[in-house]
């Protein structure tokens, strides 16, 4: 059955939405042509749309749900918090202390942490803290890295990276942000040398998300950290996606490179809104009320920061991950590997140059324009693959056949089963059977 026939109620909702919401949606990634399906409910590895269709979901709430949708223990703890204690106080509460203790215990480089309500805010504060701490101005940002749409970081997000990303920025801000090529030490050093002594920090997703979850090499990260330190600058890891997902201690624990600051979000909130900056005490303390205004970094926090619902959900998920570490990570990583391998086999079967990237539970599918290219950065993905097909024909075909992926990839959760991966590979096979360029 065609996508439009399966999703009539979604089509009607989109028509209504377009009248009152620009373009009909509130997050650009959620659109695909002809219109996105509207979700009614979710559980485990699945979402159901308003027409009753079920999808195997690899988007998992922007990769926030490591245990799957509507985890029973999270539902129970959050419901009891709402029923018996409240859902937003705007005052300090015991749960924020507990979650902060867990972050400091689990994230190797975290001596302290400060919570806010989104990864975007956390990345914005991290960069501000870096400038204040170093007394320098220029932020190095990976070409293809995504840290939310704050003014400082709205550069070089989508292909082609050297094109203006957004209107509406204040004049001159572009001089204070420079793009560096991911996993390319020579190219990165060239940019650092050009900026000279004014580098404040580099902000890097150590497994870069939008490019397809490509991990940075240990050597690249070590070189970067050493060079920054030698210039009085700091290294920020954005582990909003990878934190608590690649391992309990994030990618930094796996790669053994420890940044000065780490930006966190997603899994940390147990499925509810959250962001956090963690790291060295002497940097984070710049944001403390204890300092006088002229010596302080303004870290706003936000109305909903540390709301008990996000805190309770975050504690529940992190504690479950701690208890089931030996079960959760091997399972999600091996399902991720099964998907990656399975998709590449399908490519070989039909003579299509399909490759996958990813790490652990994170995976992405690409079709190469030229066989044999390796993909080591978002720039490689832009240059050597048919990247536009990911959110066009691929996404639509999958949706029509009951699978939800964005950017032709996603995150496996603990709720997924081998059956879900097999069913997904069955759909992917049908897509590539008919592939032509
Ligand atoms: C690596 C990374 N950093 C920051 C953000 C922004 O987080 P949020 O959407 O919570 O503002 C995202 C969101 O996708 C992200 O993937």
């Amino acid at each position: 059955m065609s996508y439009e026939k399966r999703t009539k109620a979604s089509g009607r909702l989109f028509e209504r939405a377009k009248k009152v919401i620009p373009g009909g949606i509130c997050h650009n990634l959620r659109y695909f042509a002809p219109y996105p399906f509207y979700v009614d409910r979710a559980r485990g590895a699945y979402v159901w749309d308003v027409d009753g269709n079920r999808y195997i979901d690899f988007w998992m709430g922007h990769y926030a749900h490591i245990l799957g949708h509507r985890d029973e223990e999270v539902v129970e703890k959050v419901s009891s918090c709402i029923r018996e204690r409240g859902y937003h106080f705007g005052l300090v509460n015991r749960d924020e202390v507990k979650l902060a203790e867990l972050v400091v215990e689990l994230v190797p480089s975290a001596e302290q942490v400060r919570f806010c309500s989104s990864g975007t805010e956390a990345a914005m504060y991290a960069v501000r803290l870096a400038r204040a701490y170093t007394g320098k101005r220029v932020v190095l940002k990976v070409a293809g890295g995504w840290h939310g749409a704050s003014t400082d970081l709205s550069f070089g997000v989508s292909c082609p990276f050297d094109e203006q990303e957004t209107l509406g920025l204040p004049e001159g801000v572009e001089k204070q942000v420079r793009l560096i090529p991911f996993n390319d030490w020579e190219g990165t050093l060239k940019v650092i040398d050009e900026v000279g002594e004014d580098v404040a920090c580099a902000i890097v997703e150590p497994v870069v998300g939008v490019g397809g979850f490509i991990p940075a090499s240990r050597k690249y990260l070590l070189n970067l950290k050493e060079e920054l330190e030698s210039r009085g600058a700091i290294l920020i890891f954005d582990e909003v996606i990878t934190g608590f997902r690649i391992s309990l201690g994030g990618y930094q624990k796996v790669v053994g490179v420890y940044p000065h600051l780490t930006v966190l979000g997603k899994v940390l909130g147990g499925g509810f809104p959250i962001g956090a900056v963690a790291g060295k005490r002497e940097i984070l303390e710049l944001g403390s009320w204890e300092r006088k205004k002229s010596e302080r970094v303004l870290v706003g926090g936000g109305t909903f920061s540390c709301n008990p619902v996000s805190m309770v959900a975050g504690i529940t998920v992190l504690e479950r991950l701690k208890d089931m570490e030996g079960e959760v990570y091997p399972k999600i990583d091996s399902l991720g590997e099964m998907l990656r391998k399975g998709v590449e086999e399908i490519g070989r079967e039909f003579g299509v140059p399909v490759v996958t990237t990813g790490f652990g539970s994170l995976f992405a599918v690409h079709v190469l324009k030229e066989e044999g290219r390796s993909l080591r950065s978002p720039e490689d993905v832009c240059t050597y693959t048919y990247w536009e097909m990911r959110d066009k024909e691929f996404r639509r075909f999958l949706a029509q056949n009951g699978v939800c992926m964005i950017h032709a990839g996603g995150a496996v959760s603990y709720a997924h089963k081998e059956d879900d991966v097999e069913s997904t590979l069955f759909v992917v096979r049908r897509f590539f059977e008919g592939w032509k360029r």
Side-chain angles (χ1 to χ4, degrees), residues 361-383:
S361 58
L362 300 164
F363 68 93
V365 178
H366 315 265
V367 183
L368 295 174
K369 289 178 182 165
E370 271 172 56
E371 212 147 342
R373 288 279 181 191
S374 67
L375 303 175
R376 298 191 61 243
S377 68
E379 272 157 331
D380 287 348
V381 172
C382 287
T383 313

Side-chain angles (χ1 to χ4, degrees), residues 42 106 227 379:
L106 298 175
E227 188 64 30
E379 272 157 331

Side-chain angles (χ1 to χ4, degrees), residues 84-399:
E84 284 150 38
R85 297 173 49 215
Y87 39 84
H88 173 50
F89 314 129
L91 295 166
V92 290
N93 59 77
R94 60 179 182 248
D95 305 302
E96 72 193 68
V97 183
K98 176 75 187 154
L99 190 61
E101 285 167 349
L102 278 167
V103 171
V104 169
E105 176 194 332
L106 298 175
V107 180
S109 63
E111 292 171 3
Q112 287 199 322
V113 59
R114 181 135 177 187
F115 295 116
C116 49
S117 300
S118 69
T120 303
E121 288 167 83
M124 177 183 78
Y125 292 136
V127 162
R128 187 178 290 179
L129 284 163
R131 286 195 173 120
Y133 178 72
T134 60
K136 296 159 187 273
R137 288 182 313 159
V138 177
V139 173
L140 307 177
K141 179 198 165 286
V142 166
W146 168 244
H147 312 285
S150 68
T151 298
D152 279 320
L153 297 167
S154 291
F155 294 92
V157 175
S158 51
C159 316
F161 302 124
D162 52 0
E163 250 176 35
Q164 177 175 279
E165 201 65 55
T166 176
L167 295 174
L169 294 182
E171 213 181 304
V173 66
E174 73 287 351
K175 295 197 189 82
Q176 308 201 3
V177 184
R178 289 290 304 272
L179 298 184
I180 52 173
F182 188 71
N183 259 338
D184 168 1
W185 178 238
E186 259 178 42
T188 298
L189 187 57
K190 192 159 163 272
V191 177
I192 297 178
D193 281 336
E194 276 166 26
V195 178
E197 290 315 301
D198 209 13
V199 178
C201 65
I203 181 163
V204 178
E205 288 166 87
V207 178
V208 68
V210 178
F213 309 115
I214 300 168
S217 74
R218 176 174 155 81
K219 187 103 187 28
Y220 176 76
L221 295 173
L222 280 175
N223 282 341
L224 184 59
K225 185 175 177 196
E226 197 184 328
E227 188 64 30
L228 290 168
E229 280 179 344
S230 77
R231 292 170 188 253
I234 69 165
L235 177 62
I236 305 171
F237 276 1
D238 182 339
E239 295 228 52
V240 166
I241 295 176
T242 50
F244 314 103
R245 173 173 284 283
I246 294 293
S247 79
L248 258 178
Y251 187 66
Q252 56 192 262
K253 182 147 185 208
V254 171
V255 79
V257 181
Y258 304 107
H260 303 89
L261 291 179
T262 301
V263 182
L264 297 163
K266 301 205 195 274
V267 171
L268 174 63
F272 290 81
I274 203 160
V277 196
K280 293 218 167 297
R281 182 186 304 271
E282 62 177 355
I283 307 178
L284 284 160
E285 275 182 348
L286 290 175
S288 167
W289 61 270
E290 294 155 299
R291 301 172 75 88
K292 62 179 187 202
K293 187 171 166 183
S294 59
E295 291 171 6
R296 189 168 66 210
V297 175
L298 179 59
V299 180
T303 298
F304 295 103
S305 60
C306 296
N307 74 77
V309 175
S310 298
M311 299 294 111
V312 164
I315 293 166
T316 308
V317 168
L318 295 196
E319 287 194 325
R320 296 251 331 260
L321 291 175
K322 264 176 71 178
D323 288 349
M324 306 196 306
E325 187 179 5
E327 232 179 281
V328 173
Y329 295 99
K331 179 182 173 187
I332 62 176
D333 291 1
S334 85
L335 289 180
E337 186 62 13
M338 182 178 165
L339 255 168
R340 286 188 292 268
K341 276 204 178 128
V343 168
E344 294 200 351
E345 261 165 38
I346 290 167
R348 282 193 291 278
E349 191 182 326
F350 295 113
V352 182
V354 178
V355 292
T356 59
T357 51
F359 194 91
S361 58
L362 300 164
F363 68 93
V365 178
H366 315 265
V367 183
L368 295 174
K369 289 178 182 165
E370 271 172 56
E371 212 147 342
R373 288 279 181 191
S374 67
L375 303 175
R376 298 191 61 243
S377 68
E379 272 157 331
D380 287 348
V381 172
C382 287
T383 313
Y384 303 127
T385 74
Y386 294 107
W387 56 271
E388 280 166 310
M389 72 91 182
R390 301 183 308 180
D391 287 311
K392 290 186 176 160
E393 61 261 46
F394 189 71
R395 182 159 161 192
R396 180 189 160 133
F397 185 87
L398 262 55

